[in-house]
Amino acid sequence: MNSLEIAKSCSTYSCWHPLFALEDLEEGGVPVYTQLLDQAVLCERLSEGKVSVRLADQQRGPDRQAEDLHSQVQFGFVWACIGPNPQLLFDIPEYHEPDRRNVCTGVFGVEVSAPRAIENFLDMGHFPFVHTGLLGIEPHTEVVDYQVTVSDEPNEIVATECLFFQPQAAVGSVGGVVTEYVYRVPHPFCAILYKSCPFDESRRDVITIFVQPESEERIRAHTMMSIVDPESSDTSIRLFQQMIFGQDKPILENQFPKKLPLDPLDEISIRADRVAVAYRKWLASGGVRYGVIPGAQAT
Amino acid sequence: MLKLYDYELSGNCFKIRWFLNILGIEYESVAVEFYPSKEHKSAWFKEINPLGQLPVIDDDDFRLRDAQAILVYIATKYDSSGNWYPSHDASQTGEIAQWLSFADSLTATISSARLATTFFFDFDLEKCQTGGHELLRILDEHLWFQEQQQLEWICRGRHPSLAEIACFPYVALSEEGGISRQEFAAVRRWTDRVKRIPGFIGMPGIFPAGS
């Protein structure tokens, strides 16, 4: 099977996938090309926040709407589903809180599979070595044990009690603190991180990665922050996030193989990888075949 | 204090931050968001640099654009050792100028390839990659011949020069533009040496040498 056939044959085809930050599209502007699951798609921002997404090679007849793909705007992004029966898109309740700053922090092209990017996002172990002086620093390298639960309703992975010493956890942080993380994986190629908010102890900042699989080994990583921070400018929030992502990019691009192996014997996991192990199992049981190397029992 | 109009992910801005760090000069960084908002093309920034390019410095109301020009200015004004830009020596200065110009060609090819792959700039990616690959081949051959004469750096002399500062960033970032350095062993040995020059700092995409 080629990549397109794999996409069509697995659950990925009925997922919603992010394409653009709505703010990056000009209202009434020309349709913009991008790629999703090995197919060229065209995205157009209409008036009043509406969008239209279609396959680029689709001939357009009189009934334009009937030829459009399923699309919606959520969390500031345009989402599309190529398959006929889209699954429900997850929610991020915090996003809708009125005093939150919701900032799209940019989209970056990376030569890696979508699940490798998600797994890196879930990994605390690399902080001191890759995000040195920001999200971690030697000798504070230990990932203390944390909890992972996989639920059916909603169908997602949640990792809690993730504690890590961070010299500069966020753009608004002053000095090092032990930060507490909660990770949510509500979608095979999307993950949400909740972390202690430097401005309000009772609340958590939200950082998301929504991965658009252009192909099995090439992605566009869309990032968004939904934070309680009355001080930092949108620009400084974006620049901080870009710096973090810029540090991750060469790490992601040097992973081999680019696709994520789902067979538990293919790569050695340690205790700190508890959430990654759960993620790989969850992808396998959810029938995800795109961007992964299936385990022995699945082939 | 010297002011640097700066973007964290720019290799041309990085070379200025790095050189200022080598010389131990304090500066104020003014962030200009190159991506995604294209602030370097905004009206306010075009008043500072009509070309709409980063970096720019402002040193006591003396304003200068162009990364290579800024390196020459900083070396001439602040490097009391004279090692980085030995302006009394005609051959050395000439060689450095030649490689500063080469650094501009690296920007036009490798940096453009990286902007296309990472930030979706509408450039001819294949052309940028072919051009960048050819420049790396030329640099590799040059560095190999330098090594045969027990010379570690791009230009003649025992000390690294502005040629290192100017050329290193986009060589080190080439893989982000899909240009491999695997076949260029002399280039790889040189990037390792450059990372061990005292005062080296990294940027996103460029890690310091392992200790």
Side-chain angles (χ1 to χ4, degrees), chain A residues 97-103 168-174 196-200 203-206 225-238 240:
Chain A
E97 293 169 3
D99 63 339
R100 290 247 169 200
R101 306 267 303 280
N102 293 320
V103 184
Q168 193 193 343
V171 68
S173 306
V174 182
S196 328
C197 166
F199 291 93
D200 184 345
R203 302 173 73 183
R204 286 186 171 133
D205 285 339
V206 177
M225 295 178 91
S226 179
I227 65 178
V228 181
D229 178 345
E231 291 177 10
S232 308
S233 68
D234 280 9
T235 306
S236 66
I237 292 169
R238 278 199 298 263
F240 183 80

Side-chain angles (χ1 to χ4, degrees), chain A residues 22-47:
Chain A
L22 185 67
E23 67 189 21
D24 288 346
L25 298 173
E26 191 189 340
E27 187 173 312
V30 291
V32 188
Y33 271 97
T34 187
Q35 189 167 305
L36 176 62
L37 301 171
D38 291 280
Q39 296 178 86
V41 297
L42 274 169
C43 184
E44 192 175 355
R45 179 173 177 178
L46 312 170
S47 58

Side-chain angles (χ1 to χ4, degrees), chain B residues 180-198:
Chain B
S180 169
R181 296 190 296 282
Q182 197 159 13
E183 64 189 278
F184 303 126
V187 164
R188 288 189 279 117
R189 288 191 293 272
W190 170 77
T191 56
D192 285 347
R193 287 195 294 276
V194 171
K195 286 182 175 188
R196 291 190 159 80
I197 296 172

Side-chain angles (χ1 to χ4, degrees), chain A residues 55-290:
Chain A
L55 292 175
D57 58 8
Q58 176 86 45
Q59 294 296 317
R60 305 216 88 181
D63 186 7
R64 291 170 57 123
Q65 267 186 335
E67 293 141 12
D68 276 3
L69 299 175
H70 296 284
S71 66
Q72 62 170 307
V73 175
Q74 189 56 269
F75 317 124
F77 292 88
V78 177
W79 299 74
C81 174
I82 306 186
N85 300 305
Q87 297 170 358
L88 203 62
L89 183 63
F90 58 88
D91 193 20
I92 306 172
E94 294 79 5
Y95 178 86
H96 310 291
E97 293 169 3
D99 63 339
R100 290 247 169 200
R101 306 267 303 280
N102 293 320
V103 184
C104 294
T105 41
V107 55
F108 305 93
V110 191
E111 300 285 329
V112 73
S113 65
R116 285 273 192 207
I118 295 298
E119 209 176 76
N120 178 72
F121 186 82
L122 302 175
D123 172 48
M124 288 182 285
H126 75 289
F127 289 169
F129 310 105
V130 177
H131 308 297
T132 314
L134 301 169
L135 305 186
I137 194 159
E138 291 181 85
H140 307 279
T141 58
E142 187 189 3
V143 178
V144 293
D145 205 12
Y146 54 92
Q147 303 301 315
V148 177
T149 53
V150 182
S151 62
D152 287 337
E153 288 290 335
N155 181 14
E156 64 182 37
I157 302 170
V158 177
T160 54
E161 300 172 34
C162 309
L163 298 171
F164 211 80
F165 178 82
Q166 302 200 310
Q168 193 193 343
V171 68
S173 306
V174 182
V177 285
V178 174
T179 310
E180 182 175 359
Y181 277 28
V182 170
Y183 290 103
R184 256 183 84 197
V185 189
H187 177 298
F189 302 155
C190 297
I192 302 157
L193 160 64
Y194 298 82
K195 69 192 287 187
S196 328
C197 166
F199 291 93
D200 184 345
E201 282 180 12
S202 68
R203 302 173 73 183
R204 286 186 171 133
D205 285 339
V206 177
I207 301 172
T208 66
I209 183 168
F210 304 145
V211 177
Q212 170 190 348
E214 286 193 289
S215 70
E216 287 201 274
E217 299 189 350
R218 159 105 192 149
I219 62 163
R220 282 160 50 95
H222 302 266
T223 56
M224 190 274 287
M225 295 178 91
S226 179
I227 65 178
V228 181
D229 178 345
E231 291 177 10
S232 308
S233 68
D234 280 9
T235 306
S236 66
I237 292 169
R238 278 199 298 263
L239 289 172
F240 183 80
Q241 197 58 18
Q242 287 184 25
M243 179 164 59
I244 299 297
F245 202 85
Q247 292 170 339
D248 279 319
K249 182 176 153 84
I251 304 300
L252 289 168
E253 295 189 333
N254 281 297
Q255 297 203 6
F256 184 84
K258 288 188 185 296
K259 291 180 200 169
L260 185 72
L262 297 187
D263 192 309
L265 297 178
D266 274 353
E267 289 181 348
I268 307 298
S269 301
I270 56 172
R271 193 180 59 177
D273 299 325
R274 197 184 284 282
V275 67
V277 171
Y279 175 61
R280 291 182 186 198
K281 268 192 202 164
W282 185 71
L283 290 179
S285 66
V288 175
R289 303 287 300 270
Y290 195 80

